[in-house]
Amino acid sequence: MTTDHLLSIAPRDKAEILAQALPYIRKFHGKTMVIKYGGNAMTDPALQQDFAEDVVLLKLVGMNPVVVHGGGPQIEAALGRLGKKGEFIQGMRVTDAETMEVVEWVLAGEVQQDIVGLINQAGGKAVGLTGRDGGMIRARKLKMLDNKDPSVEHDVGQVGDIVAIDPSVVKALQDDAFIPVISPIGFGENNESYNINADVVASKLAEVLRAEKLMLLTNTPGVLDKAGNLLTDLTARRIDELFADGTISGGMLPKIAGALDAAKAGVNAVHIIDGRVPHAMLLEILTEQAYGTMIRSH
Ligand code: ADP
Ligand code: MG
């Protein structure tokens, strides 16, 4: 973002704006914030830099940001170079052995390291991990039943269902002032790899870390109703209705399901926010204004 337009704000007003962040900084000091970044929210370089700066700022004022990233568009581009096209069932990428290899190198090799680099450039100390590191994400093959007819089972290949998350490596890094950046790859009983939806990983991680907030940055203003209006607040009951009438589809399915699980498991604040808004995260954490969609357990 260019910041030229901020030159016209009087210093006094700038100071006032900064001072208004103080109660939030105090309230969230020492708290863990799990942030799902990516895929579709991370395609613009200026926004990527804003994101990295936000993460570093949160860390420097005493919060514990943990980043989980996706990589939908990047995986799609890599598959395209191999002449393959991604296929999705109920929001999950069908992952055959070749796709799994692509997923691993794009997520862990490219996307994760880009984010680590950006955060480090912004003055933080990021460390990239996959779910294999420290034995973090244990997974098994996802058994996917059809949303409409549960007697039908879909085979989505090496898509993983989380068995357990061991957050000790994340905690160790946090305590040492590092910022963990996690690729959503799990390992199975026979050391096989699993491709897990990043929203699902972020949600489960928020739960096991007892995070204060879970923020899912995406490429829409939040959850929209059929007419395209933003739904600012969603309860479990309303979510059931939106699933049933088809308002929520595609990648929004695992996102909302994960978000609701996290809210039910006691994560205080679960938000789906527009990652295309510059400094979306700072606005969410450090101002009183509500952005996007908040998910409530009841
Ligand atoms: P991300 O990379 O952020 O996970 P996804 O494509 O997986 O992005 O999920 C976000 C997408 O879900 C939106 O871009 C939109 O196309 C789709 N979507 C489906 N239903 C809704 C809804 N009710 N409101 C907003 N987005 C929705
Ligand atoms: Mg997604």
Side-chain angles (χ1 to χ4, degrees), residues 36 38-40 70-72 88 91 197-199 218 250-252 254-255:
K36 149 73 191 314
N40 287 304
F88 288 84
N197 179 280
D199 295 306
T218 185
M252 204 44 93
K255 204 181 294 296

Side-chain angles (χ1 to χ4, degrees), residues 74-226:
Q74 296 82 356
I75 292 167
E76 218 45 46
L79 287 174
R81 289 198 292 273
L82 299 172
K84 273 175 93 89
K85 192 164 164 31
E87 188 197 329
F88 288 84
I89 300 177
Q90 292 176 181
M92 296 295 191
R93 178 184 297 282
V94 179
T95 309
D96 60 15
E98 195 185 22
T99 303
M100 187 68 228
E101 270 185 51
V102 173
V103 166
E104 282 202 87
W105 59 254
V106 171
L107 292 184
E110 184 184 321
V111 180
Q112 176 207 85
Q113 286 303 303
D114 281 352
I115 299 172
V116 166
L118 283 163
I119 292 175
N120 292 352
Q121 224 178 358
K125 292 199 292 177
V127 174
L129 305 162
T130 76
R132 285 186 182 284
D133 292 290
M136 187 179 8
I137 308 175
R138 211 170 270 286
R140 64 175 162 233
K141 186 175 158 76
L142 176 72
K143 198 173 154 71
M144 188 192 270
L145 302 181
D146 191 84
N147 279 343
K148 302 219 168 61
D149 179 0
S151 68
V152 174
E153 192 180 326
H154 297 286
D155 188 352
V156 281
Q158 274 169 267
V159 173
D161 192 12
I162 297 172
V163 174
I165 292 194
D166 175 350
S168 49
V169 64
V170 174
K171 288 187 175 155
L173 289 170
Q174 282 182 332
D175 293 345
D176 258 340
F178 293 105
I179 299 167
V181 176
I182 300 165
S183 306
I185 295 165
F187 65 97
E189 267 190 335
N190 301 308
N191 204 28
E192 72 278 22
S193 295
Y194 285 103
N195 171 26
I196 312 177
N197 179 280
D199 295 306
V200 173
V201 169
S203 300
K204 191 72 190 171
L205 199 57
E207 180 190 329
V208 300
L209 287 170
R210 299 177 193 282
E212 173 70 22
K213 276 184 198 270
L214 168 65
M215 281 167 289
L216 304 171
L217 271 60
T218 185
N219 64 342
T220 75
V223 182
L224 308 176
D225 68 12
K226 280 216 153 105

Side-chain angles (χ1 to χ4, degrees), residues 4-74:
D4 294 351
H5 59 288
L6 299 181
L7 291 172
S8 60
I9 298 178
R12 213 194 146 106
D13 292 336
K14 276 188 193 158
E16 192 57 40
I17 290 167
L18 287 171
Q20 278 177 8
L22 179 62
Y24 299 96
I25 293 174
R26 197 188 305 137
K27 181 173 171 194
F28 298 135
H29 192 94
K31 298 279 161 73
T32 295
M33 306 285 175
V34 174
I35 305 143
K36 149 73 191 314
Y37 181 52
N40 287 304
M42 66 166 292
T43 40
D44 178 71
L47 286 174
Q48 288 175 9
Q49 203 182 326
D50 287 350
F51 171 83
E53 288 168 5
D54 288 5
V55 170
V56 172
L57 192 146
L58 296 180
K59 187 76 179 179
L60 289 177
V61 299
M63 297 174 210
N64 284 317
V66 175
V67 178
V68 178
H69 69 86
Q74 296 82 356

